[in-house]
Amino acid sequence: MTKKLKFPDGFLWGAATSAHQVEGNVHNDWSEWEKENAERLAEEAGGKWKKWQQEKFPEMFEKENYISGAACDHYNLYESDFDTAKELGHNAHRFSIEWSRIEPEEGKFDEKEIEHYKDVMKSLKNKELEPFVTLWHYTNPLWIRNIGGWTNKKTVEYFIRYAEKIISIFPEVKFWVILNEPTVYVSLSYLKGTQPPGRKNIFLARRAMNNLTQAHKSTYEMIHKNLESAKVGTAYSVNYWQGYKKYPWNWILAKIMNSLEGYFFRKIENKSDYIGLQYYRSVTLGWKWGGNFWGIFDSTFHESKDFTDLGWNIYSRGIYYFLKKVAKYNLPIYITENGIADADDSKREKFIKGHLFWVHKAISEGADVRGYFYWSLMDNIEFVEDRGFWPRFGLIEVDYKTQVRTIRKSALEYAKICKSNELEIDGK
Ligand code: BGC
């Protein structure tokens, strides 16, 4: 017996990408960082990943794994990639505009690159894919890096000027994502130091966070001054925290962490037209008996059997927890990212359906969810924390040597949901 869970009319179905991860031949702070660190990262892979991961993905020991280079050549292949998205039943697409292409030098806007994004936008329009446009997805032009990136207050002004230029070119775009995951960026770039600029300094982290928050607020106002009806927000990522084993003190700690997860929404709540939620996994933390330390553990450490190629714990109910939590802001909610690294495509279908089941449940209990973007349309470079090309998140598999694309089986299953606007599940 099957049951059909219907999604609201007009629901947006699609997938997400970011410029640096898919376009290829990008010159920014990240591409420089890749060149400087690729050798070190290849050498360190053995200490960073588990034995099963090393055996399954030996490319992590190659320097090339860490250099974006031609990436998926989506800069040239976007037209056929969007054709595939359309074929797969998508009606929307989230992507980012690369600041370093638009403004490679301070105050000099590159007309050729502007034309490129006009073509991209035209292509989406022709295929009736609603654009969800991100203005900043982690990367900065080199001249911004050279003035101290987001730790410099001037970057806020420069960013607003760039954003103003973009929105003046694309007044027809309805959905704008100002920033992608500012808190993740700050913690990895300025506290953990595992991404450019690779700093570990709490004062710089604070400054960068304040500047990014300011950039969100001022850009929000600027866009609304120019485009009254635009829907403007920022994409924010959350982890669902669980306590290690059944020790109550670990669960209390996890509860505290979950309550802190909404922190950025609270900061921007009156300057957002929607909530952009990104959810990937649950994280376990606590006192590991006999382990002698407090720690954060992924599933591979202990009891869970359900984990991704990155060792992330799959916990679909977590998305429901956060949807219920953010519903209190009374704003439309878009799931701007949710996805799995799963090279052999054995878990993706279940992952997508599992999460959508909980999304639907939240909707049926009043959460105003209006769209879902799977991460990602195609395999790409996992530049977050310098993982490189080996984690395979795509609905479409990419052969990086030939740029040949192959649609994964799970993508066809997701297509059925997108096309019918409903999820079929077993049950009464
Ligand atoms: C980021 C993406 C990234 C994905 C998977 C998100 O945090 O926005 O750029 O590829 O997670 O790690």
Side-chain angles (χ1 to χ4, degrees):
M1 186 72 176
T2 60
K3 190 174 161 186
K4 288 179 177 168
L5 307 179
K6 185 130 192 56
F7 282 77
D9 288 344
F11 199 83
L12 296 185
W13 293 107
T17 62
S18 89
H20 186 93
Q21 293 175 268
V22 296
E23 283 184 354
N25 295 316
V26 181
H27 303 288
N28 56 26
D29 59 344
W30 221 290
S31 60
E32 288 299 297
W33 165 271
E34 288 166 355
K35 277 187 247 152
E36 288 155 15
N37 290 279
E39 217 161 285
R40 171 182 65 79
L41 292 164
E43 275 164 24
E44 287 172 3
K48 195 165 160 192
W49 301 103
K50 303 236 157 319
K51 209 157 180 288
W52 66 267
Q53 289 165 316
Q54 295 176 31
E55 281 166 11
K56 196 165 171 191
F57 304 104
E59 58 272 42
M60 65 170 69
F61 295 102
E62 311 282 326
K63 189 175 153 201
E64 293 67 39
N65 178 62
Y66 303 95
I67 297 178
S68 53
C72 317
D73 197 22
H74 180 68
Y75 185 85
N76 295 307
L77 300 176
Y78 66 88
E79 189 80 53
S80 58
D81 288 336
F82 295 161
D83 277 334
T84 310
K86 185 75 194 165
E87 230 176 272
L88 291 173
H90 300 191
N91 59 16
H93 180 64
R94 178 178 171 226
F95 71 103
S96 74
I97 291 183
E98 175 61 32
W99 187 2
S100 66
R101 285 195 194 277
I102 300 292
E103 195 180 359
E105 285 175 55
E106 201 254 285
K108 294 204 175 118
F109 294 99
D110 187 324
E111 288 307 319
K112 207 179 105 260
E113 296 293 3
I114 291 174
E115 282 308 310
H116 167 77
Y117 286 110
K118 279 189 186 163
D119 292 343
V120 168
M121 224 62 98
K122 234 182 271 162
S123 165
L124 290 170
K125 188 162 189 240
N126 290 341
K127 299 179 208 313
E128 293 174 326
L129 291 164
E130 181 78 52
F132 228 87
V133 185
T134 310
L135 287 167
W136 178 84
H137 197 120
Y138 288 0
T139 53
N140 302 306
L142 286 171
W143 58 273
I144 286 287
R145 178 197 71 174
N146 296 345
I147 60 161
W150 285 97
T151 62
N152 188 336
K153 231 180 165 19
K154 286 221 59 108
T155 296
V156 179
E157 276 168 46
Y158 289 134
F159 178 76
I160 297 165
R161 182 178 65 183
Y162 146 75
E164 195 157 11
K165 178 82 184 173
I166 297 296
I167 65 135
S168 73
I169 301 165
F170 302 111
E172 74 284 5
V173 169
K174 194 162 148 203
F175 295 102
W176 294 98
V177 182
I178 300 173
L179 305 172
N180 184 71
E181 300 184 350
T183 51
V184 175
Y185 173 79
V186 169
S187 60
L188 298 178
S189 297
Y190 290 100
L191 289 176
K192 211 169 164 197
T194 47
Q195 303 182 160
R199 305 294 301 268
K200 289 185 193 171
N201 181 320
I202 194 158
F203 300 105
L204 291 182
R206 228 184 100 96
R207 237 194 280 163
M209 196 64 242
N210 288 341
N211 287 335
L212 280 158
T213 309
Q214 192 52 52
H216 169 88
K217 290 182 178 168
S218 307
T219 307
Y220 177 88
E221 278 165 13
M222 178 279 291
I223 298 182
H224 274 299
K225 228 185 276 159
N226 292 283
L227 308 172
E228 227 172 278
S229 62
K231 302 290 172 216
V232 189
T234 268
Y236 184 72
S237 146
V238 287
N239 290 320
Y240 185 79
W241 299 82
Q242 303 199 66
Y244 179 64
K245 296 258 168 121
K246 296 272 177 265
Y247 310 133
W249 50 91
N250 290 342
W251 282 90
I252 292 169
L253 193 68
K255 227 176 147 56
I256 296 171
M257 290 304 289
N258 281 329
S259 72
L260 293 175
E261 278 290 15
Y263 143 88
F264 195 73
F265 289 133
R266 285 197 290 278
K267 282 190 110 154
I268 60 167
E269 101 185 77
N270 53 2
K271 297 247 182 297
S272 282
D273 302 323
Y274 65 85
I275 288 185
L277 190 78
Q278 334 218 117
Y279 174 76
Y280 284 87
R281 59 167 160 167
S282 128
V283 182
T284 306
L285 90 170
W287 174 255
K288 195 170 179 225
W289 218 234
N292 255 350
F293 58 88
W294 281 94
I296 294 173
F297 315 115
D298 273 327
S299 53
T300 40
F301 274 87
H302 60 98
E303 54 239 342
S304 167
K305 283 168 213 74
D306 219 3
F307 48 84
T308 75
D309 286 347
L310 280 163
W312 294 359
N313 195 0
I314 303 172
Y315 183 64
S316 52
R317 196 181 199 282
I319 203 165
Y320 170 76
Y321 171 87
F322 287 109
L323 289 173
K324 295 289 281 183
K325 192 169 157 155
V326 300
K328 68 167 183 251
Y329 295 113
N330 284 322
L331 289 170
I333 305 165
Y334 292 90
I335 293 155
T336 39
E337 286 180 29
N338 171 238
I340 177 172
D342 177 29
D344 51 26
D345 203 34
S346 58
K347 299 180 177 175
R348 189 171 286 102
E349 177 187 340
K350 189 169 164 229
F351 179 97
I352 295 175
K353 291 183 173 170
H355 284 79
L356 287 175
F357 169 82
W358 287 107
V359 172
H360 186 272
K361 182 163 167 63
I363 295 173
S364 68
E365 292 170 11
D368 187 9
V369 188
R370 298 190 186 181
Y372 174 88
F373 294 86
Y374 175 80
W375 181 272
S376 177
L377 179 61
M378 66 197 95
D379 292 339
N380 57 51
I381 184 160
E382 247 304 274
F383 66 163
V384 181
E385 286 206 88
D386 286 320
R387 297 172 191 129
F389 281 108
W390 68 262
R392 302 279 184 156
F393 276 91
L395 292 171
I396 303 168
E397 184 184 340
V398 177
D399 178 332
Y400 295 113
K401 290 204 177 80
T402 59
Q403 294 299 349
V404 168
R405 271 81 161 135
T406 311
I407 298 174
R408 292 200 163 101
K409 209 181 123 276
S410 56
L412 300 174
E413 290 301 317
Y414 179 48
K416 286 184 198 157
I417 302 168
C418 301
K419 288 178 186 168
S420 63
N421 202 32
E422 56 191 26
L423 169 69
E424 208 171 296
I425 56 158
D426 288 334
K428 280 182 221 142

